[in-house]
Amino acid sequence: MSTTTPHAAPIPPVTPPKKHRKWPWILGGLVILIIIIIVAASQGGTTTNPTPHPTSAPAAPPATRPPTNSARTAAPATAAQAAPVVLYSKTGSGTGSSPTFTTGAEWQVQYTYDCTAFGQSGNFMVNSEDMQLTINQLGMTGADTDYVHNDPGSHSLSIDSECAWTIKVLG
């Protein structure tokens, strides 16, 4: 008697599952993040805030809408706030210091620096004697405004840079 054993079908070779490559996605995400940071930094450094002249007439108050019957109503209009007064302004390069100036509780320092004549990125540092204000920038050019709150009294600034700079203190 002859017995036949059934032949098993050949088993196809096992192929490993496809690997999902994560590196192209990670690299692509990093490139996009870097582009966003560069765009944000370039827009932040080019904005300028025009400073109204202290002798200009105050702006007219904005028009208000009549109140509605809802529970929320608009806050009453207030008088226009006075324009900031320039307490100190100077254009220079290298190190310097300001004379003493007196501020109220709110004051600000507007500054620009340009290191292109220096030929490379440079430092731009401004400190108040009481260290309530500390500006420390490194770059080819820059501009910004720093605000100091709740620090009324007499102040002076020291400026240290290789770059050309302008500084204006408004109170």
Side-chain angles (χ1 to χ4, degrees):
M1 174 167 160
S2 118
T3 61
T4 58
T5 55
H7 284 65
I11 300 174
V14 176
T15 57
K18 277 189 169 181
K19 291 184 179 179
H20 295 287
R21 300 201 185 266
K22 295 179 183 177
W23 283 108
W25 290 102
I26 292 172
L27 185 60
L30 286 174
V31 168
I32 291 171
L33 180 63
I34 290 170
I35 291 171
I36 290 171
I37 290 170
I38 290 171
V39 168
S42 68
Q43 289 178 350
T46 59
T47 60
T48 58
N49 295 331
T51 304
H53 194 273
T55 59
S56 64
T64 58
R65 288 188 263 161
T68 62
N69 291 337
S70 69
R72 293 187 323 179
T73 58
T78 60
Q81 294 184 354
V85 176
V86 177
L87 302 173
Y88 171 72
S89 180
K90 185 170 183 176
T91 298
S93 62
T95 60
S97 60
S98 74
T100 301
F101 51 88
T102 304
T103 68
E106 307 276 330
W107 53 287
Q108 57 185 285
V109 176
Q110 296 177 347
Y111 64 89
T112 64
Y113 65 94
D114 185 352
C115 300
T116 53
F118 184 57
Q120 63 185 14
S121 293
N123 289 310
F124 175 74
M125 296 179 284
V126 179
N127 294 301
S128 61
E129 77 287 349
D130 57 4
M131 300 306 282
Q132 291 294 318
L133 173 74
T134 301
I135 299 168
N136 190 358
Q137 299 290 318
L138 176 64
M140 287 296 284
T141 61
D144 204 354
T145 301
D146 274 28
Y147 299 89
V148 181
H149 305 283
N150 300 319
D151 192 22
S154 297
H155 306 280
S156 64
L157 302 177
S158 64
I159 302 134
D160 188 13
S161 182
E162 303 90 12
C163 312
W165 47 263
T166 60
I167 192 163
K168 189 182 290 186
V169 178
L170 303 168

